[in-house]
């Protein structure tokens, strides 16, 4: 039986047309209509009214028009509306990309202390960067360290305030707990530090007073100039130091400007600075890094909310999203910064700030100054100068505070909102409550009956069904693109994800929703205005369920605002729209315009989140070595729409327990970095007429040998070994002295034996140790505890990353001892050990064959070339 209402000019006409007895005359006879809450009764309507009474009646005639027919909006206007939303997305992108006007030296006085000059910052950038990669342990890195020291010394000489400078050279080690843990040992890491002395200064006993630490790194990866990662912030720091040093009045606290010389090594310079006497006075931290090249750098990790308060007061175009903190802590973004070292090893807390836009250039040869847009250095310098000035004059910065989390976000770079986790949970609960109130208001408006609730439930089901249909169509389109085109072709043009993923989802979801709504409208008889309010309410119900579930997951605390803020906004605005619709008879297009206008703040907020998330997501997925990265990008973008290569020239040598060579393999190992690495390299070689024996399957080797018997630079790269490509060629040019590891001595007392090893070779090395069955590694000479990094073959696997972080000639041998509890292995093999010796930036030592291979690769390849010797030993 149909429940729809048919409006006719007479009851007889209606019954004749439908043969039904529950038809209503049009215009409506309100005596026979059901009584709805908030709708005036017939007693309130006087048949003989005076004109002034009629005016009052029209003003109080709330709701009756909701049951009168509303004309449909022509389809072209719906298409026009969709185009308007795309235009809104473009405008949001313009807001995101807006940068300040660069200032030249002539625009400000040379002694100005409240503004920076982008022109001056560019001079610092070029002086710090130089013309080659600044790889730790290379001679060029040492030269640029000297230049960095000269820069801060030059600033100190011309300063009005006391500026102390220091070149720290430090040795140490630590155990880095990560997804792929290892011991990091650094020999003679270099840091350049400059201290702007405040009123806290130095105590009479020589110890330092309260100090703010601001950190950048001037070293780079082997295949990039590192203009954005991280010279851009080092240049901003140098300009900020120069400006602040011209002050005529001291700040309350010292500021330590740390130019870190070993971040890419990884994270060794920051750990080394914790041994510096100045580090003992640090009360808070501003860490500066980069995963992109442009835009406004974003706060994405916070453990000291005092800095958020200062940032909010000092920065006029703020950028902060705690969603980034969730992505880092959950491992979605498999990376790390010095922030972690200061937090975990120094109990130093603060904020982590990084560039994220144009992440496709990050750690590539395209990380060059010509790709940095005008205004980026101006924003970075103004932000840093304002923040440090604000911080250094706050009384509450005079002491450390325990680490505290925060939930924070900016609204279109206009202002920052931040809350404690407890307050954020209350805000989330308030958003849920507001959504429930708005839902109850809708039910009251339509009429608190079972049919109203039932129709709302149908609407919720329709919303879910439309989402499923939209996601299904987007998935089919993505699978078709994966099968027929090149994945991630939009990497340098992230706006294309809208056309590729958002449009298929939105068109199919809206179509499914329209068909479902048409079906239900014939059943319910509700007019378009009520159905619009019903659909919006259903959407809030879905969001309410999602937010309520996420509130039960503590790890989502820093990301829940992505749901709660839109939900709170839409709940509040729904009370406005429903009240207007109830009070005033609106035409269909007027109601549509009203809904669009009040939704603008929420839509722009969600679009801003989507733009920033994609800026982080696309480069991360591109480097994940996933076979189908498009599927990951599609899934994330559908969710957003619902809410609105490395080459290693290597030699692998194996020795038996008697020290005799038993096997040697030479060639080029190409690590899989994306979905196309292997096939594109083979295609390039074929095009150039180069024919080599190759191998691509290493699954069995990974079962039989530690790290597949392949060269490995860092443990985090191990996941890509099994699917790599090996080209059989001649070996790399030998090191002098040869890379190797020798057993210097072995002494035993009872079941305990001490092995002493001497390693020679290169500035960067990876050492793996696997005790034999029944043997236990109990200690070593490193200061870090002898903790296994992982398991291999049922046995603990110990990994040491070793580097000589400042160039010396020749490299001194590395000597270390290992203590073993032998058990029953006193007379047999006790330890399997491998040495991976790497030369990271030595193009002048390429063999002719290897150079020809590199030259045969297409121009768009970003080749990270390493010369490696892997030696396997049994002791």
């Amino acid at each position: 039986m149909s429940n729809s209402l048919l409006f006719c000019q007479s009851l007889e006409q209606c019954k004749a047309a439908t043969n039904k007895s529950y038809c209503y005359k049009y215009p409506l006879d309100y005596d026979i209509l059901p009584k709805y809450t908030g709708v005036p009764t017939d007693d309130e309507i006087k048949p003989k009214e005076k004109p002034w009474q009629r005016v009052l009646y029209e003003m109080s005639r709330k709701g009756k028009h909701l049951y009168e027919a509303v004309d449909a909006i022509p389809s072209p206007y719906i298409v026009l509306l969709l185009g308007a939303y795309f235009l809104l997305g473009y405008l949001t992108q313009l807001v995101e990309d807006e940068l300040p006007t660069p200032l030249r030296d002539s625009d400000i006085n040379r002694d100005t202390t409240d503004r920076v000059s982008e022109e001056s910052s560019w001079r610092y950038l070029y002086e710090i960067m130089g013309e080659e990669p600044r790889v730790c342990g290379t001679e060029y890195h040492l030269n640029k360290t000297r230049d960095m020291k000269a820069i801060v010394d030059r600033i100190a000489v011309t300063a009005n305030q006391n500026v102390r400078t220091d070149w720290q050279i430090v040795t140490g080690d630590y155990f880095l707990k990560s997804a792929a843990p290892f011991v990091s040992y650094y020999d003679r890491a270099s840091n350049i530090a400059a201290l702007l002395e405040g009123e806290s200064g130095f105590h009479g006993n020589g110890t330092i007073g309260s100090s703010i630490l601001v950190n950048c790194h001037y070293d780079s990866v082997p295949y990039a100039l590192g203009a954005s990662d991280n010279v851009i912030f080092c240049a901003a720091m140098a300009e900020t130091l120069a400006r602040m040093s011209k002050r005529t009045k001291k700040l309350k606290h010292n500021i330590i400007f740390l130019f870190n010389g070993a971040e890419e090594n990884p994270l060794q310079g920051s750990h080394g600075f914790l041994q510096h006497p100045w580090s003992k006075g640090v009360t808070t931290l501003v860490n500066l890094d980069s995963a992109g090249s442009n835009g406004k750098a974003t706060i994405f990790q916070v453990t000291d909310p005092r800095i958020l308060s200062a940032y909010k007061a000092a920065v006029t175009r703020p950028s902060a999203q705690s969603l980034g903190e969730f992505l880092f802590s959950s491992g979605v973004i498999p990376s790390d910064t010095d922030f972690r070292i200061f937090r975990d090893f120094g109990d130093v807390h603060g904020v982590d700030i990084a560039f994220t836009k144009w992440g496709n250039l990050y750690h590539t040869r395209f990380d060059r100054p010509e790709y940095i847009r005008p205004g980026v250095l101006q924003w970075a310098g103004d932000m840093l100068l304002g923040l440090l000035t604000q911080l250094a004059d706050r009384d509450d910065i005079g002491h450390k505070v325990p680490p505290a989390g925060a939930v924070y976000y900016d609204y279109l770079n206009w202002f920052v909102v931040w809350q404690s986790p407890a307050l954020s949970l209350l805000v989330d609960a308030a958003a849920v409550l507001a959504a429930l109130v708005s839902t109850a208001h809708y039910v009251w408006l339509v009429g608190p009956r079972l049919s109203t609730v039932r129709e709302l439930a149908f609407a919720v089901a329709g919303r879910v069904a439309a989402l499923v249909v939209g996601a299904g169509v987007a998935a089919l389109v993505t699978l078709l693109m994966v099968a027929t085109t090149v994945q991630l072709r939009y990497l340098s043009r992230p706006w294309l994800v809208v056309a590729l993923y958002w449009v298929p989802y939105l068109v199919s979801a809206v179509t499914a929703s329209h068909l479902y709504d048409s079906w239900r409208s014939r059943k319910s008889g509700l007019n378009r205005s009520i159905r619009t309010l019903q659909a919006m309410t259903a959407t809030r119900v879905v969001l309410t369920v999602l937010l309520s579930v996420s509130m039960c997951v503590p790890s989502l605390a820093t990301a829940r605002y992505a749901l709660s803020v839109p939900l709170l906004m839409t709940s509040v605005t729904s009370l406005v729209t429903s009240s207007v619709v109830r009070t005033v008879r609106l035409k269909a297009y007027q109601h549509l315009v009203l809904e669009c206008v009040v939704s603008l703040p929420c839509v722009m907020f969600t679009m801003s989140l989507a733009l920033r998330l994609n800026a982080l997501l696309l480069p991360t997925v591109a480097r994940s070595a996933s076979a189908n990265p498009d599927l990951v990008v599609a899934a994330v973008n559908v969710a957003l729409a619902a809410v609105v290569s490395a080459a290693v020239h290597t030699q692998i040598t194996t020795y038996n327990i008697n020290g005799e060579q038993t096997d040697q393999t030479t060639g080029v190992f190409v690590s899989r970095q994306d979905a196309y690495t292997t096939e594109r390299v083979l295609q390039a070689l074929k095009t150039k007429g180069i024919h080599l024996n190759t191998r691509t399957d290493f699954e069995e080797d990974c079962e039989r040998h530690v790290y597949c018997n392949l060269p490995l630079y860092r443990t985090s790269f191990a996941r890509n070994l099994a699917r790599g490509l090996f080209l059989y060629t001649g070996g790399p040019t030998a090191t002098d002295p040869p890379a190797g590891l020798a057993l210097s001595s072995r002494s035993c007392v009872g079941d305990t034996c001490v092995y002493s090893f001497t390693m020679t070779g290169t500035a960067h090395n990876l050492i793996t140790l696997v005790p034999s069955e029944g043997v236990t590694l109990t200690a070593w000479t490193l200061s870090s505890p002898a903790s296994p990094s992982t398991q291999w073959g049922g046995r603990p696997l110990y990994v040491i990353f070793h580097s000589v972080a400042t160039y010396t000639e020749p490299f001194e041998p590395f000597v270390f001892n290992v203590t073993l509890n032998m058990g029953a292995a006193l007379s047999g093999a006790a330890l399997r050990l491998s040495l991976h010796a790497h030369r990271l930036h030595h193009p002048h030592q390429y063999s002719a064959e290897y150079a020809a291979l590199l030259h045969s690769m297409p121009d768009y390849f970003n080749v990270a070339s390493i010369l490696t010797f892997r030696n396997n030993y049994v002791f």
Side-chain angles (χ1 to χ4, degrees):
M1 179 182 290
S2 173
N3 293 323
S4 61
L5 305 182
L6 182 63
F7 299 101
C8 306
Q9 295 296 322
S10 67
L11 292 178
E12 291 74 15
Q13 178 186 352
C14 177
K15 292 177 180 179
T18 64
N19 195 28
K20 302 294 182 181
S21 60
Y22 43 86
C23 298
Y24 300 114
K25 179 182 177 182
Y26 182 79
L28 293 176
D29 182 350
Y30 292 108
D31 273 338
I32 61 175
L33 276 175
K35 304 303 182 187
Y36 295 102
T37 300
V39 180
T41 64
D42 191 56
D43 293 334
E44 297 172 310
I45 306 173
K46 303 301 181 182
K48 295 180 180 180
E49 300 168 313
K50 295 180 180 180
W52 64 270
Q53 291 176 317
R54 185 65 185 173
V55 173
L56 291 177
Y57 163 69
E58 288 295 340
M59 293 177 62
S60 62
R61 186 178 175 268
K62 299 176 181 178
K64 290 200 171 188
H65 57 276
L66 294 178
Y67 307 99
E68 300 171 1
V70 177
D71 292 337
I73 299 175
S75 297
Y77 290 98
I78 302 298
V79 176
L80 184 63
L81 175 65
L82 186 60
Y85 272 103
F86 286 139
L87 178 60
L88 186 62
Y90 175 70
L91 294 176
T92 305
Q93 179 73 73
L94 293 181
V95 172
E96 284 283 307
D97 291 342
E98 182 189 7
L99 292 167
T101 302
L103 296 181
R104 301 179 63 86
D105 292 348
S106 57
D107 296 329
I108 55 178
N109 189 286
R110 60 177 299 177
D111 292 330
T112 296
T113 61
D114 60 350
R115 293 300 302 274
V116 301
S117 162
E118 179 163 303
E119 183 181 2
S120 176
S121 299
W122 274 107
R123 286 197 298 272
Y124 285 125
L125 185 145
Y126 281 109
E127 188 174 358
I128 297 169
M129 182 183 66
E131 299 175 349
E132 296 180 23
R134 300 163 305 286
V135 180
C136 288
T138 63
E139 189 172 4
Y140 195 75
H141 174 271
L142 174 60
N143 292 336
K144 299 314 293 180
T145 302
R146 294 191 182 106
D147 290 346
M148 191 73 252
K149 180 62 162 59
I151 290 172
V152 295
D153 285 342
R154 192 167 65 237
I155 293 172
V157 169
T158 60
N160 293 334
Q161 299 294 327
N162 188 26
V163 176
R164 305 190 185 196
T165 67
D166 186 46
W167 180 346
Q168 180 196 28
I169 299 179
V170 60
T171 297
D173 63 83
Y174 61 95
F175 186 83
L176 183 63
K177 296 179 181 179
S178 62
F182 58 94
V183 173
S184 182
Y185 178 91
Y186 51 93
D187 182 9
R188 288 164 288 180
S190 283
N191 289 315
I192 302 300
L195 185 145
L196 177 63
E197 198 167 324
E199 293 175 1
S200 60
F202 287 80
H203 302 143
N205 60 3
T207 58
I208 191 172
S210 57
S211 304
I212 299 162
L213 175 63
V214 55
N215 173 71
C216 72
H217 70 89
Y218 64 89
D219 65 320
S220 72
V221 292
Y223 36 86
L225 285 177
S228 65
D229 184 27
N230 186 231
V231 177
I232 191 170
F233 263 137
C234 288
M237 278 175 54
E239 172 69 1
T240 300
L241 171 61
R243 295 292 168 182
M244 298 186 78
S245 70
K246 298 295 186 180
R247 291 174 60 94
T248 57
K249 181 182 177 182
K250 281 188 175 184
L251 297 160
K252 291 181 179 178
H253 309 288
N254 303 325
I255 303 177
I256 301 171
F257 293 80
L258 176 61
F259 300 88
N260 178 334
E263 191 270 352
E264 301 288 3
N265 229 34
L267 311 180
Q268 294 177 339
S270 52
H271 189 272
F273 181 73
L274 293 175
Q275 300 182 45
H276 196 289
W278 290 356
S279 70
K280 311 311 175 187
V282 173
T283 60
T284 195
L285 164 72
V286 177
N287 188 64
L288 305 171
D289 211 333
S290 178
S293 298
N294 278 300
K296 295 177 278 288
T298 298
I299 293 180
F300 68 100
Q301 293 193 91
V302 173
T303 52
D304 187 348
R306 297 177 300 179
I307 303 185
L308 275 178
S309 178
Y311 182 88
K312 182 177 180 180
V315 181
T316 55
R317 299 291 286 164
S319 180
Q321 295 290 341
S322 61
L323 179 60
E325 191 163 332
F326 166 74
L327 296 176
F328 254 68
S329 61
S330 63
V332 175
I333 298 178
S335 187
D336 234 325
T337 72
D338 289 317
F339 183 84
R340 175 180 187 153
I341 301 299
F342 291 121
R343 179 193 65 197
D344 293 353
F345 295 94
D347 192 30
V348 175
H349 304 284
V351 298
D352 207 358
I353 305 176
F355 288 101
T356 59
K357 299 294 180 67
W358 292 32
N360 55 301
L361 306 185
Y362 168 71
H363 278 193
T364 75
R365 72 176 187 275
F366 299 106
D367 185 2
R368 302 178 60 86
E370 54 263 37
Y371 294 106
I372 299 175
R373 295 177 57 207
V376 172
L377 271 167
Q378 187 69 49
W379 184 91
D382 286 344
M383 178 276 295
L384 189 58
L385 179 60
L387 175 59
L388 293 180
T389 302
Q390 180 78 212
L391 272 177
D393 262 345
R394 288 174 63 116
D395 292 328
D396 61 350
I397 298 296
H399 58 278
K400 277 187 178 182
V401 294
V407 177
Y408 48 92
Y409 54 90
D410 70 88
Y411 184 79
L412 298 175
N413 301 133
W414 290 349
F415 58 87
V416 171
V417 176
W418 73 272
Q419 307 139 355
S420 67
L423 178 58
S424 176
L425 186 61
L426 290 177
V427 172
D428 295 338
V432 171
L433 180 61
L436 295 176
V437 169
S438 69
T439 302
H441 183 261
Y442 164 79
V443 172
W444 170 80
L445 174 67
V446 178
R449 302 182 303 278
L450 179 61
S451 60
T452 301
V453 177
R454 183 179 65 246
E455 286 304 316
L456 180 58
F458 272 113
V460 171
R463 281 322 216 210
V464 174
L467 189 153
V468 172
V469 170
V473 171
L476 289 175
V477 171
T478 304
L479 290 173
L480 180 63
M481 291 190 297
V482 169
T484 60
T485 65
V486 177
Q487 297 188 70
L488 291 174
R489 58 209 171 283
Y490 45 79
L491 183 58
S492 61
R493 297 177 179 86
W495 57 268
L496 282 174
V497 300
V498 174
L500 296 175
Y501 304 122
W502 287 53
V503 170
Y505 168 81
L506 290 173
V507 171
S508 55
V510 169
T511 301
S513 179
H514 177 72
L515 293 174
Y516 186 90
D517 180 64
S518 298
W519 171 66
R520 285 312 306 168
S521 67
R522 293 193 295 271
K523 300 287 185 180
S524 67
L526 299 177
N527 74 8
R528 288 183 175 84
S529 285
I530 293 182
R531 296 204 308 271
T532 299
L533 296 177
Q534 183 187 72
M536 302 295 287
T537 303
T539 300
R540 293 194 300 276
V541 170
V542 174
L543 287 177
T544 301
V545 172
L546 293 175
L547 178 57
S548 300
V549 171
S550 69
M551 289 172 65
C552 302
V553 184
S555 61
L556 294 176
T558 58
R560 282 198 299 264
Y561 70 91
L563 290 174
S564 62
V565 172
L567 181 59
L568 187 58
M569 286 183 175
T570 55
S571 298
V572 172
T573 56
S574 73
L575 298 176
V576 175
T577 56
S578 59
S579 297
V580 171
V581 170
R582 177 173 175 262
T583 305
V584 181
R585 177 183 174 85
L586 297 177
K587 295 182 179 180
Y589 81 90
Q590 292 173 325
H591 190 182
L592 181 62
V593 170
L594 175 64
E595 292 288 355
C596 292
V597 169
V598 299
S599 70
L600 284 180
C602 178
V603 171
M604 293 190 73
F605 176 77
T606 54
M607 284 181 172
S608 175
L609 277 181
L611 290 170
R612 297 189 196 187
L613 184 56
N614 272 306
L616 276 172
L617 175 71
L618 299 188
T620 301
V621 173
R623 295 180 172 94
S624 67
S626 169
N628 296 300
D630 273 6
L631 295 179
V632 179
V633 176
V636 172
N637 276 279
V638 164
L640 291 171
V643 179
V644 280
S645 120
V648 180
H649 194 189
T650 186
Q651 173 179 297
I652 305 169
T653 307
T654 301
Y655 300 86
N656 62 19
I657 195 170
N658 298 317
E660 300 166 337
Q661 179 178 316
T662 60
D663 182 63
Q664 186 174 86
T665 302
T666 61
V668 176
F669 179 69
V670 182
S671 176
R672 183 186 178 94
Q673 297 296 310
D674 58 40
Y676 301 104
T677 302
T678 299
E679 63 182 68
R680 293 292 171 83
V681 169
L682 292 174
Q683 181 181 353
L685 294 175
K686 182 179 179 181
T687 301
K688 294 293 185 179
I690 300 175
H691 303 285
L692 298 170
N693 293 327
T694 63
R695 182 181 173 187
T696 57
D697 184 8
F698 294 91
E699 295 289 349
E700 291 186 7
D701 296 73
C702 296
E703 294 291 332
R704 295 167 46 218
H705 303 283
V706 175
Y707 293 132
C708 314
N709 200 31
L710 291 169
L712 184 66
Y713 175 54
R714 289 190 189 169
T715 54
S716 58
F717 299 163
R719 65 183 184 274
N720 301 330
L721 291 176
R723 296 182 295 166
L725 166 67
F726 198 92
L727 310 173
Y728 290 90
T729 68
T733 304
T735 62
D736 184 21
L741 193 147
L743 178 63
S744 304
S745 64
R746 175 180 183 267
S747 59
C748 299
V749 178
D751 290 344
T752 301
C753 292
V754 177
Y755 286 67
S756 181
F757 297 101
T758 300
M759 184 194 76
T760 58
T762 61
H764 299 84
N765 308 277
L766 190 81
I767 303 170
T768 65
L769 306 95
V770 180
S772 300
E773 187 72 32
V775 177
T776 304
L777 195 157
T778 59
W780 53 24
T781 51
L782 304 180
S783 61
S784 302
S787 301
S789 299
T790 185
Q791 295 282 317
W792 177 81
R795 301 296 300 149
L797 169 62
Y798 300 82
V799 180
I800 302 171
F801 178 87
H802 166 274
S803 77
V804 179
T806 299
Y807 176 80
T808 57
E809 184 66 42
F811 291 120
E812 296 180 5
F814 174 52
V815 178
F816 66 100
N817 297 339
V818 174
T819 302
L820 304 175
N821 188 309
M822 303 297 288
L826 277 171
S827 58
L831 190 66
R832 299 178 65 173
L833 190 150
S834 295
L835 167 66
H836 307 240
H838 311 288
R839 286 184 297 195
L840 297 189
H841 184 62
H842 293 77
H844 57 284
Q845 293 180 337
Y846 292 168
S847 67
E849 182 182 28
Y850 184 54
L853 284 176
L854 294 180
H855 184 69
S856 68
M857 295 298 106
D859 291 340
Y860 66 86
F861 270 38
N862 186 72
V863 181
S865 180
I866 303 175
L867 306 181
T868 294
F869 296 83
R870 172 170 174 159
N871 294 338
N872 303 317
Y873 304 92
V874 179
F875 297 102

